[in-house]
Amino acid sequence: MRTFRTASFVAAAAALVLTASACSSSSGGSTNSNASTGPVNLTWWHNGTTDPVKSLWAQAAADYTAAHPNVKFTVDPIQNEQFQTKVPAALAGGNPPDIFQQWGGGQLTSQITSGKLMDLTAATSSWISELGATAAGWQADGKQYGIPYDLHVVGFWYRKDLFAQAGITAPPTTMDELNADVVKLKQHNIAPIAIGSKDRWPDAFYWDYFAVRECSTDVLKQASKDMKLTDPCWTKAGDDLKAFLATNPFQTGFLGTPAQQGVGSSAGLIASGKAAMELQGDWELPTMEGLLPNGTFKSQMGWFPFPAVTGGAGDPTVALGGGDGFSCTTGATAACPDFLKYLASTAVQDKIASQGIALPANPASDSKLTDPNLQTISSYAAKAPYIQMYFDIAFPTSVGQSLDNAVADYFAGKGTPQTIVQSVTNAGSGGK
Amino acid sequence: MSRAQVTAGAAEAAPAVAGDKTAGRPGRAPAARSVRPTGRRRRLELALLLTPATVLFTAFVLAPMALAAYYSFYNWNGYGALTSAGLSNYTSALTGSNFQHSVLHNLIIVVLSLVIQLPLSIGLAMLLNRRIKGRSFLRLVVFAPYVLSEAITAVVWYQMLQPSGFVDQLLTSVGLGSQVHDWLGSTSLVLYTLFVVITWKYIGFGIILLLAGLQGVPTELREAAALDGASSWQITRHVVMPLLGPTIRIWIFLSVIGSLQLFDLVWIMTGGGPAEASNTMVTYIYNFGIKQQQYGFASAVAVILFIICFVFALAYQRFVLRRDTEGALTRVVG
């Protein structure tokens, strides 16, 4: 699950300590290339530190071992933010884990330069097409370096009760309608849209989506490769954002609001009915449940895609999203890609869907989704001709973070549509 | 200082001489050794006692510092090969407006600490030094925030400062509703909000330090001054304050270094935002190093921060603290 939380200094320090201890405990140099012979131990770093994901992975490992008695696992659930520091350290060191959490995109490209990521192309060529276009996010130069196990799509979550209160009968489909709804909600003293600007990445979702609506799919695909935002559509995205920010659609003090921490966070504001909408990923429901257990919000939640932008060159059905997956390292055996195949099979994917953990990466399991909102998102994603990976992940980390910072600055009134574009081209060419 | 060294040196030399002389006389040697170790044994002892500290210091302080200095001349994303960057990391840091603003924010915190925290600490310490009712309890209350970890302080204040949070409600309930602001979301206010929290957290430390200093002011001096007809203000100004000087100078030193390295509180409460308005040098480093994975560039900034702190520390020791340390040693030796 793609969750973000502020990493504190404490966490960073803990990460260092854990790195040290994890280095000493992970299984070393199992270079056996044959999965069927000899005992194999696979060390597995994933970010499912809480249930239901934690149990799901524990069960998956146990089930795989039951079917392949020679393959054992050392399962190591690790706090999400620690991957930022632990993975570079592990890949630079001599003893990386065999399997680790992989979000694909530009970070994957950076990690490949370590030479420690296993090329999964040959091992996955017979079945990877089952995952459809999703698997492309974990490829680089036509080679498969990771396998996704779920899919994420960003869109507007909204409160049906608050919409009804403000006299809004149907979710907006164009920006004009959205702006009109914002006015209506304000008239009823309801904060129209909640946003967690303190964390910066929620701001980027807006710019990302305006870019997706303004730019043609070809331009989007090219930009992820060369990081040169020369097409005028990129500046138009900033202009759209400027016009949207001028409607003042967010809750009071949104610049200091976190996205997912506490009931005062943007997710908490939606869960407690203090704001009507939020542009967030499909992970919003589990996030809200964590903040407000036993809340009555679930029946009130609805979802609609980011509205169409008049005159934009982008296909209005293109979605913004991403996903979670795993990579194998070069020290792992052939059991590793085989295990990732198992995770992407319906045996595991059905559970991801039926337990409402996320949208399954394997479309064959879509029918097992039970939550009506996840079903809506899933069918939207299935119809989307292209899913643009969030730019902060699609670009190499330095470029993506630079973009997020520039957009966040713009939300706080600093910069221009042009500076957002420059932040990418500048960081993309090695600037700081 | 030199006198102290001479005395200590003489004390060290003595057993060595004694050891050499007694070497030829086995009868007395064991007795001499039991009292004063020989040169070789002393070196062994030193090696034994110093090795753990030296190893730790080298591995966790000196080596990382050397590595940071090394990385600062390269571009590195944490994964691939290092590519030489020459001095470009330094030039782009020093010319970048975000870095300049971060340094400026640090300096603002330094100045505010000196101008506001110091007089406040002195005043409160003098108040708490008087014989007032519930003095021990008040001292405890004032010191309590210092015991809290920075992370906890940050999270608690962060919650209280949310829009219509505790602080806003408190202001409204006492009729100051017009003074409610967007404490953490306003680019012009956020740094000063953070400074208030820093002051709340660290004022206790300053007060305890100064209280200890005040205990060291002999009562006879106050009495003598009073007998000579000095007013209580004159006693404070001309007797107590000069004697409190060494404590104040140490507090300034600790406060400046602490302000330059400010991180935890800011990072948790604002992440350096909004729009980099509360970035300090260290949040800037963290942003580039850990979040953007530009380790070379972040190392360069870290080296710059190190140089700033180091130069300040040396200059302060040389020009301000020298008097205090010399005085202390003369007293000890004399």
Side-chain angles (χ1 to χ4, degrees):
Chain A
M1 219 171 285
R2 189 192 194 226
T3 51
F4 302 74
R5 293 204 174 95
T6 311
S8 67
F9 183 71
V10 178
L16 282 173
V17 174
L18 281 171
T19 311
S21 60
C23 284
S24 59
S25 67
S26 61
S27 79
S30 42
T31 45
N32 192 342
S33 60
N34 194 338
S36 57
T37 58
V40 172
N41 190 45
L42 295 175
T43 307
W44 182 15
W45 288 3
H46 65 71
N47 73 347
T49 47
T50 52
D51 277 335
V53 184
K54 192 179 178 184
S55 312
L56 176 81
W57 292 148
Q59 190 60 45
D63 290 350
Y64 189 85
T65 301
H68 308 81
N70 63 320
V71 183
K72 301 248 181 338
F73 292 89
T74 307
V75 186
D76 217 349
I78 290 165
Q79 192 65 41
N80 189 67
E81 285 65 31
Q82 294 188 16
F83 281 89
Q84 286 178 12
T85 44
K86 283 200 76 167
V87 170
L91 291 179
N95 205 357
D98 300 295
I99 314 170
F100 67 93
Q101 191 85 21
Q102 177 61 263
W103 289 278
Q107 195 168 45
L108 175 82
T109 320
S110 305
Q111 286 172 0
I112 291 169
T113 56
S114 73
K116 298 261 173 66
L117 260 62
M118 188 190 273
D119 179 359
L120 307 170
T121 317
T124 58
S125 58
S126 60
W127 57 271
I128 195 76
S129 59
E130 289 169 24
L131 300 185
T134 313
W138 283 257
Q139 287 167 359
D141 297 329
K143 288 178 185 167
Q144 197 76 36
Y145 282 99
I147 310 294
Y149 63 83
D150 68 12
L151 172 71
H152 288 315
V153 175
V154 177
F156 274 104
W157 290 88
Y158 74 99
R159 298 274 309 204
K160 291 176 184 169
D161 51 348
L162 297 183
F163 266 39
Q165 215 176 310
I168 303 165
T169 47
T173 56
T174 63
M175 280 312 291
D176 291 339
E177 287 177 24
L178 178 64
N179 292 339
D181 291 345
V182 164
V183 173
K184 280 184 202 165
L185 286 160
K186 275 191 190 169
Q187 281 166 356
H188 288 79
N189 285 323
I190 301 165
I193 304 179
I195 187 169
S197 287
K198 184 201 165 209
D199 289 323
R200 304 185 188 197
W201 54 266
D203 297 351
F205 283 163
Y206 282 90
W207 186 85
D208 285 7
Y209 247 127
F210 279 123
V212 165
R213 293 284 176 265
E214 288 288 359
C215 301
S216 72
T217 307
D218 289 339
V219 170
L220 293 174
K221 283 179 178 167
Q222 188 58 34
S224 298
K225 280 181 200 151
D226 62 13
M227 291 169 283
K228 290 191 177 75
L229 310 185
T230 44
D231 196 284
C233 69
W234 299 105
T235 325
K236 272 193 189 169
D239 293 335
D240 292 344
L241 181 60
K242 187 180 184 180
F244 181 64
L245 291 177
T247 68
N248 203 2
F250 303 118
Q251 81 276 15
T252 319
F254 68 93
L255 291 174
T257 307
Q260 300 174 330
Q261 290 164 309
V263 282
S265 66
S266 55
L269 290 174
I270 303 290
S272 56
K274 287 181 182 151
M277 291 178 262
E278 186 181 9
L279 183 63
Q280 264 296 356
D282 55 276
W283 55 79
E284 184 77 341
L285 281 179
T287 309
M288 290 195 293
E289 270 155 25
L291 297 174
L292 206 67
N294 310 318
T296 54
F297 55 83
K298 205 164 179 181
S299 59
Q300 298 297 340
M301 297 307 299
W303 188 91
F304 63 90
F306 195 89
V309 173
T310 321
D315 185 330
T317 58
V318 170
L320 181 76
D324 303 281
F326 292 111
S327 277
C328 296
T329 51
T330 46
T333 67
C336 185
D338 191 59
F339 178 64
L340 295 190
K341 178 187 175 184
Y342 172 68
L343 294 184
S345 72
T346 50
V348 176
Q349 292 284 308
D350 282 358
K351 288 184 194 166
I352 291 178
S354 64
Q355 294 177 22
I357 291 169
L359 306 174
N362 192 335
S365 296
D366 280 351
S367 58
K368 297 291 189 296
L369 285 167
T370 53
D371 182 85
N373 285 311
L374 288 186
Q375 284 170 347
T376 311
I377 301 172
S378 167
S379 66
Y380 175 71
K383 283 181 210 138
Y386 175 63
I387 296 181
Q388 170 62 48
M389 192 175 263
Y390 345 85
F391 289 106
D392 53 3
I393 303 279
F395 293 144
T397 311
S398 60
V399 183
Q401 291 298 322
S402 178
L403 170 66
D404 280 9
N405 287 342
V407 176
D409 284 359
Y410 194 60
F411 269 68
K414 192 175 150 191
T416 63
Q418 199 58 43
T419 54
I420 299 175
V421 172
Q422 280 162 357
S423 75
V424 173
T425 36
N426 180 41
S429 60
K432 285 103 191 173
Chain B
M1 195 155 181
S2 56
R3 234 201 291 176
Q5 274 171 345
V6 169
T7 327
E12 271 171 45
V17 175
D20 285 349
K21 274 187 181 170
T22 55
R25 292 187 235 166
R28 278 191 61 188
R33 208 171 281 147
S34 69
V35 179
R36 287 174 170 175
T38 62
R40 211 180 73 184
R41 177 154 171 195
R42 189 182 171 80
R43 277 196 295 277
L44 196 73
E45 254 178 34
L46 276 176
L48 197 73
L49 293 173
L50 282 179
T51 307
T54 313
V55 168
L56 285 176
F57 191 73
T58 310
F60 293 105
V61 179
L62 293 179
M65 269 161 54
L67 271 178
Y70 172 74
Y71 287 141
S72 69
F73 296 105
Y74 292 89
N75 288 322
W76 188 45
N77 69 359
Y79 298 107
L82 302 166
T83 52
S84 178
L87 284 172
S88 71
N89 284 332
Y90 287 94
T91 50
S92 46
L94 293 171
T95 55
S97 69
N98 277 348
F99 176 72
Q100 289 167 358
H101 286 147
S102 303
V103 177
L104 179 69
H105 297 154
N106 278 115
L107 292 180
I108 290 174
I109 297 286
V110 168
V111 171
L112 285 177
S113 300
L114 298 184
V115 174
I116 294 174
Q117 280 182 12
L118 183 60
L120 203 63
S121 304
I122 295 174
L124 284 171
M126 284 179 170
L127 196 69
L128 289 173
N129 198 37
R130 294 181 173 213
R131 289 200 181 80
I132 48 171
K133 236 182 174 182
R135 186 172 67 168
S136 315
F137 176 72
L138 285 175
R139 283 183 183 177
L140 190 75
V141 167
V142 166
F143 192 62
Y146 183 70
V147 181
L148 283 179
S149 85
E150 285 221 359
I152 291 170
T153 310
V155 170
V156 168
W157 274 94
Y158 178 69
Q159 298 292 347
M160 294 202 299
L161 287 165
Q162 286 301 308
S164 35
F166 178 78
V167 171
D168 288 2
Q169 287 179 13
L170 191 73
L171 285 174
T172 314
S173 67
V174 297
L176 288 171
S178 59
Q179 293 306 307
V180 167
H181 291 285
D182 189 0
W183 305 110
L184 295 172
S186 156
T187 48
S188 54
L189 202 63
V190 63
L191 196 65
Y192 304 98
T193 309
L194 289 173
F195 175 72
V196 171
V197 180
I198 294 164
T199 306
W200 179 85
K201 169 112 173 71
Y202 286 104
I203 195 94
F205 178 67
I207 290 171
I208 289 290
L209 209 63
L210 289 164
L211 266 175
L214 283 171
Q215 310 279 318
V217 178
T219 4
E220 303 84 50
L221 286 181
R222 293 170 186 256
E223 282 167 5
L227 280 176
D228 286 344
S231 70
S232 77
W233 165 249
Q234 282 172 324
I235 293 176
T236 305
R237 171 70 189 80
H238 296 289
V239 177
V240 178
M241 287 303 283
L243 288 171
L244 215 49
T247 315
I248 292 175
R249 286 190 283 273
I250 278 288
W251 178 87
I252 292 176
F253 180 73
L254 295 174
S255 173
V256 171
I257 294 289
S259 303
L260 289 175
Q261 300 185 335
L262 185 62
F263 173 71
D264 324 29
L265 219 111
V266 178
W267 187 253
I268 295 170
M269 289 183 70
T270 67
E276 330 297 337
S278 60
N279 250 349
T280 64
M281 276 187 277
V282 187
T283 62
Y284 185 80
I285 292 170
Y286 192 89
N287 244 323
F288 271 96
I290 307 294
K291 293 201 84 178
Q292 300 205 17
Q293 298 186 342
Q294 298 191 349
Y295 293 102
F297 180 70
S299 297
V301 179
V303 169
I304 294 172
L305 171 63
F306 172 76
I307 291 171
I308 293 174
C309 288
F310 195 65
V311 166
F312 168 77
L314 280 186
Y316 198 82
Q317 300 261 17
R318 175 79 179 77
F319 296 110
V320 182
L321 289 182
R322 188 177 55 166
R323 248 185 332 155
D324 300 335
T325 44
E326 269 189 352
L329 277 173
T330 328
R331 262 206 300 279
V332 168
V333 176

